[in-house]
Structures are given as structure tokens and as C-alpha cells.
Amino acid sequence: MKKSTVVWVLCLTASIALLAGCGKKEEEPEVVEETPVAEVVVQESADATPVYTGPVSYLTGLPIDEKYENYRPVAVMIPNDEKSAMPQLGLSQAGVIYEALVEGYGTRLMAIFDYAELEDLEKVGPVRSTRLYFAYFSTQWDCIICHYGQAIYASQYMNSDAIDNLTGLRYVEENIVYYKDSDRPSANNDFTSGERILDGIEYYEYRTEHFKDFEPSFTFASDEVVLDHASGVVTANVVKPGFAVNKPYFVYNDEDGLYYRYQYGDEHIDGNTGDILTCKNIIIQICRTETLDEKGYLYVETEETGSGYYITNGKAIPIFWENDGQYLPTTYVDENGNEIELNPGTTWICVVDYDYANKIEFLEKEETTSETDD
């Protein structure tokens, strides 16, 4: 059974006093108060390797500065339905990324950042409009959401007090939060930064900490999750969620345990770093989707139950998801009804249309022919 021990690092004078007590006693040693310099909590494991037991991010399960432990995350809407939006900037610093269909059956991304990441988020975008279902996903995480407008079906909700948002369509945010990049085409030239987002939050005096009863969607494992013995497990070294326009896929690298992201027939790059995007976990969430009008605006059902897949470390298992309300977390369980545990790291959630679920593919190896968009 594991047990916790507390290691006290003593000041140098106290150590000398203890050593002196081991030799011949010539005079009464001076009494020195043992003042602890630092306290490190570790957990004994089989190989005596210290295990971190401090606060972790609700998004990634990775260690986080304790002063940000209960801070709300920030979501940013980023276009992904056309090549002119590439490269996007800042995605590699997101803890969770949602990808869902928009009109024309291209995809849009909602990148969710830990509050602690904002200080180092130099440039993020381009920033585009939101849809109602993205707003619902963001409220499940209690996010402050950044967007440059919204579809008409989301206007009433986005203009209400039900959600804290920063939109470029308001004069204040246009000047405080967002700025134009003249090197980008007009549809995709609005950008922001962590500093600007913080300025917007301060201006509107938005709540920065979670409500007391906030519950995150994810549960993270203390040990590495291996799906080899799970029910319905399949090899998933290559994952294709089936989106038709950008044709994205993820390739597993067993050397670092990460999935590498590709789309539009090439690596999916973060323009801030020049590096390909990676993630530790992939969740495919299959949802009912309907077309609302002749313009092709979609509605994705986020408050019900459905099926999907959890993918990590080159394996995939069937799962079910459930959400009982837009302010409540979505829960993910395996075929036995047990809540799944994620490996710590970035998670990419692909929200797939129920009618196109048969397009999802799991492969043992990458195909030799590269993917190109039609």
C-alpha cells in the first residue's frame, strides 16, 4: 500500500548541530531551533520515485501553479474551414480543443486555455464567430469565451447574462481585446493575445474563479492508461474522424506517446512555434446534427446521450457520453458504465455528425498516399 511521507529540508546550522552531537561531548551545544526551509510532499512508489500530489489543471491533469488552481479557463473561436486561416496561432498552448462542423461542412475549432497560460500567450487566432453549440460546450467548462460575432441563432444567448464573453462586435473589445493583422485576408485577420484577453476580463469585471460547486468533465489517471485489456479495444495508430473538407487525421508516435495532427494534406502547424500540433488524448463525440436554414447553419445537440470513442496510446475503445444541461459537465463512460480516465495532457474532442459516424476510421499504420482536399 502506498503511503505519504513528508521530507523536511533543514537549515545548515541545524544539520551541523546534529552532527556535533555524534562526537565527543566537550561542552553543551547551543540549542538551535529547527526551522523548516521547504516542505515537499511525495508519495512512495515501488521504485521510490517521488510522485507529484499538488494541484493539477482541470483541462490537462498536468501540474499547475496553486494560485491558478480554481481559475476559469478561456475559450477562443478559431476558423478551420478554409486554408486562408492557416497557420493558426496559439493552438499548441490549449489544454482542450473542440472541433465541430459549421455550415458548408467545414470545421471550426474552439481552443480552451488554462488561465495560467494567458500570461505567455503572445498571439492567438485568427478569431472568428461562434455557434450556439460551441457556446454550450464552453459553459460546460465555465469558460470566458472570445469570439468575433456569432450566428444569428446564438445571438440571444451570447447577448444575455448567461455567458461571459468577449466579442469583437462590441466597440470596447474591438479596441481592447482584438487587433487587425494586415498580412492576413480580411475574413481571417482578427487576432488577440493573453494580455489583451486579461484586459477585457478586467474591464468587464468578469468572475475569474470557478463557482464553488464546479465539476470538470475529465477525470485523469494517476498511472498511464493502457487500453489493451478494455472491452472493444482496437488498434488506433492512425485516427480519422471523418470530416470531409479538411480531412484531418492523427498519427500516433510510440516514442513520445503523442498523436500528431494532419489536415489539408499536410502537417497542422502552430504558426507561433512552427511545430506540428500534438495531443495525448482524442475523444470522438458523436452527436445529432441538423441543418437549420437554407444558408446551411447547423445545430449540434449537446444535451442528451450518445456514443463515441476514447483514443490514447495507439488504442481506441467505444464510449458513451451524457450531458444533463448546458451548465453541467459532459461525462464519458466505457461500455461497462465506468467513467473513463484520461492520460494527462492535451485532449482533442472531435464532435462528429451521427449520420457520418461510418466515416470514422482507425488504422494500424499510416497510408502511403497523402491526403489532399478535393
Side-chain angles (χ1 to χ4, degrees), residues 70-87:
N70 199 44
Y71 270 60
R72 302 172 70 187
V74 171
V76 181
M77 295 303 308
I78 296 178
N80 196 49
D81 50 343
E82 53 190 11
K83 285 187 175 181
S84 61
M86 312 301 153

Side-chain angles (χ1 to χ4, degrees), residues 54-81:
V56 298
S57 162
Y58 292 142
L59 301 178
T60 65
L62 297 173
I64 193 170
D65 190 316
E66 63 180 5
K67 71 178 180 180
Y68 294 117
E69 181 179 5
N70 199 44
Y71 270 60
R72 302 172 70 187
V74 171
V76 181
M77 295 303 308
I78 296 178
N80 196 49
D81 50 343

Side-chain angles (χ1 to χ4, degrees), residues 265-337:
D266 204 349
E267 295 179 341
H268 193 171
I269 299 295
D270 184 335
N272 280 341
T273 64
D275 296 329
I276 186 172
L277 295 172
T278 62
C279 59
K280 181 63 178 177
N281 309 294
I282 304 168
I283 291 176
I284 295 180
Q285 184 170 335
I286 301 171
C287 298
R288 289 190 303 108
T289 303
E290 61 178 301
T291 303
L292 297 176
D293 58 25
E294 66 279 0
K295 293 182 179 180
Y297 282 112
L298 302 176
Y299 179 73
V300 175
E301 183 57 69
T302 63
E303 299 175 48
E304 59 173 17
T305 61
S307 60
Y309 298 92
Y310 170 48
I311 305 105
T312 192
N313 287 346
K315 303 291 183 180
I317 59 169
I319 61 171
F320 297 95
W321 63 271
E322 181 176 4
N323 180 265
D324 294 327
Q326 67 193 58
Y327 299 105
L328 299 176
T330 296
T331 55
Y332 301 93
V333 299
D334 61 23
E335 289 187 311
N336 297 317

Side-chain angles (χ1 to χ4, degrees), residues 134-146:
F134 279 114
Y136 286 167
F137 283 131
S138 76
T139 55
Q140 292 174 18
W141 289 95
D142 193 23
C143 290
I144 299 167
I145 183 171
C146 300

Side-chain angles (χ1 to χ4, degrees), residues 148 167-180 190-192 196-197 199-200 203-204:
Y148 215 98
T167 172
L169 296 186
R170 286 198 293 252
Y171 177 79
V172 171
E173 287 94 326
E174 186 179 15
N175 290 274
I176 293 178
V177 181
Y178 301 101
Y179 67 95
K180 303 286 185 183
D190 294 296
F191 287 81
T192 186
R196 286 171 172 268
I197 292 170
D199 288 342
Y203 180 88
Y204 283 101

